[in-house]
Amino acid sequence: MTIFQFPKDFQWGTATAAYQIEGAAAEDGRGPSIWDTFAKTPGKVFNGDNGDIACDSYHRYEEDIALMKQLGIQSYRFSVSWSRILPDGDGEINQAGLDYYHRFVDKLLENGIEPFCTLYHWDLPQTLQDAGGWESDITVEAFVKFSEIMYREFNGKIKSWLTFNEPWCIAFLSNLLGAHAPGNRDLQTALNVGHGLLLAHGKSVKKFRELGIEGKIGIAPNMEWAVPYSKSEADKAASERHIAWFADWFLDPVFKGEYPQFMVDWFEQAGAKVDVKPGDMEIISQPIDHLGINYYTMSVDRYNPDAGVLGFEQIDMGLVQTDIGWPVESRGLYEALHHLQKYGNIDIYITENGACINDEVENGQVKDFRRISYLQQHIAQIHRAITDGIQVKGYMAWSMMDNFEWAEGYRMRFGLVHVDYRSLVRTPKESFYWYQNVIRNNWLETRP
Ligand SMILES: N=NNCCOCCOc1ccc(-c2cn(C[C@@H]3NC[C@@H](O)[C@H]3O)nn2)cc1
């Protein structure tokens, strides 16, 4: 047996997001978001599932927090439903929305759990999408206003902030590939959205500093690691484009104040160019305090000029896959963490990592041993990176509970806790008890 001891101040946690767990979609003044609209558009979400009820965490948060307490986590990453706070995206504040998050955050703090807040986790108020979405300064300025309201309201209660979750999904999955809300399929739109969210990020960080808010702020890109299928230069370049598409396209502007030129050139030959105005990159590259990284899988890429805008296809190498079809290769997390060192040795939180394993309850138990294997492999890679001197400060398993997995609806389960969507009964899985032990010990035990 090998013991991997983690630093004494390492923060163990779990993560969720508002639209995926809260439900109460039209309750207490909440306005519609683009995901309410998208989910109710026929054909967009498996089975026509939507977030009207979800896990009903809006009403059951005390039960959920009791489970977090039982799990023993030190921090809990959640997101705020913007359209609960500002139902029209801007304008009048909905006090009932603020009151909900105060009740929720107070309950976390009462239980010794640090709230780790993501301001934007994909649920843009529909009124702002109607006004141009992230391509429009209207939305950028509305986000700054929304974030200022949250900063002022929760200053001293919430000390760990993230502006945006997974910019790649917001820009490209949702506006080039059309798989997520609002479902556009246009490269120029995707680049405009990416630039808009980066401007909103920079302006919000600037506001955070101007207000003298206590705590730390950052952003949480999702990364996919990729390696070339062959030794050819074309395959090598394809895997580099894949990595940069998810990470460098957003992190170079944040940390270096410029887009990666090889990607700017690639997109230009594909017919799209970011319209960078004077002063934009200075705003975007406001210094941040920490970086959230979401990691799930890695890819073996082969150059194929006919395989989409980025010109790579992902080759199935026969690796074990989770139930959503993502190859399991924890080495990619280690490599991704080293890749990030070019931006400096910034504090990093693994703000999402987890496995889609769709086991159900049998005799009161969920024997999700495949999830335990996935988590163990990936946590071991984090220990390896820390041993190399990389400043990983925490790990938040995705997800605390099964929830609405976007276009996959409720069929894909990532939770440490099983949710019966009819009864809403929560059942801790075997992985919950395994993770409870890792947290209690602050070490990982691996058996040969
Ligand atoms: N690899 N790309 N190939 C080309 C594009 O393929 C099309 C599909 O792409 C993807 C890529 C990534 C994802 C994804 C999902 N989650 C899980 C959520 N994270 C935030 C939290 O809310 C979780 O629910 N993280 N990432 C989905 C689809």
Side-chain angles (χ1 to χ4, degrees), residues 16-17 20 77 121-122 165-166 168-169 173 177 179-180 222-224 242 245-246 294-297 299 301 312 314 324 326 352 398-399 403-406 408 414:
T16 61
Q20 296 181 268
R77 179 178 175 236
H121 200 125
W122 306 357
N165 179 72
E166 299 188 353
W168 180 86
C169 290
L173 186 60
L177 304 177
H180 281 194
N222 53 317
M223 288 190 72
E224 292 191 350
H242 187 165
W245 188 26
F246 279 72
N294 298 353
Y295 174 90
Y296 290 92
T297 188
S299 178
D301 293 350
F312 69 82
Q314 299 172 275
I324 201 170
W326 298 349
E352 283 183 34
W398 182 270
S399 178
N403 58 55
F404 177 77
E405 180 49 38
W406 309 110
E408 301 292 350
F414 280 85

Side-chain angles (χ1 to χ4, degrees), residues 139-343:
T139 301
V140 171
E141 295 309 321
F143 177 77
V144 178
K145 176 180 172 180
F146 162 58
S147 62
E148 179 174 354
I149 291 165
M150 291 301 295
Y151 295 151
R152 288 179 183 278
E153 192 76 25
F154 291 90
N155 189 18
K157 281 189 180 180
I158 299 175
K159 297 176 182 170
S160 296
W161 298 86
L162 294 165
T163 53
F164 286 89
N165 179 72
E166 299 188 353
W168 180 86
C169 290
I170 301 168
F172 293 106
L173 186 60
S174 307
N175 289 285
L176 172 64
L177 304 177
H180 281 194
N184 295 317
R185 296 176 188 275
D186 176 74
L187 178 59
Q188 188 58 59
T189 301
L191 297 189
N192 298 344
V193 164
H195 194 65
L197 76 86
L198 284 172
L199 279 171
H201 161 81
K203 289 181 174 210
S204 185
V205 171
K206 197 161 177 286
K207 181 61 74 177
F208 185 91
R209 305 293 185 214
E210 285 165 0
L211 294 171
I213 302 299
E214 190 185 345
K216 299 190 175 188
I217 189 160
I219 190 168
N222 53 317
M223 288 190 72
E224 292 191 350
W225 193 249
V227 295
Y229 175 70
S230 77
K231 294 191 184 309
S232 73
E233 280 307 311
D235 287 357
K236 182 171 177 294
S239 63
E240 287 166 355
R241 282 197 303 279
H242 187 165
I243 293 164
W245 188 26
F246 279 72
D248 307 34
W249 184 254
F250 301 101
L251 295 180
D252 275 26
V254 168
F255 287 104
K256 298 166 70 176
E258 60 186 19
Y259 284 98
Q261 193 56 48
F262 80 104
M263 294 296 285
V264 171
D265 297 343
W266 185 269
F267 286 137
E268 268 193 48
Q269 58 84 29
K273 183 174 172 31
V274 183
D275 175 18
V276 178
K277 293 189 175 56
D280 283 359
M281 301 316 286
E282 287 71 27
I283 291 170
I284 291 170
S285 57
Q286 299 292 317
I288 58 174
D289 305 308
H290 55 223
L291 194 55
I293 292 295
N294 298 353
Y295 174 90
Y296 290 92
T297 188
M298 75 176 274
S299 178
V300 178
D301 293 350
R302 179 163 65 189
Y303 172 60
N304 177 347
D306 303 322
V309 169
L310 273 293
F312 69 82
E313 58 185 338
Q314 299 172 275
I315 306 300
D316 183 345
M317 302 300 283
L319 291 177
V320 166
Q321 294 183 358
T322 63
D323 292 347
I324 201 170
W326 298 349
V328 178
E329 180 47 90
S330 60
R331 171 169 71 91
L333 175 53
Y334 176 79
E335 301 293 350
L337 288 168
H338 271 281
H339 178 78
L340 293 169
Q341 298 311 294
K342 66 179 180 177
Y343 299 119

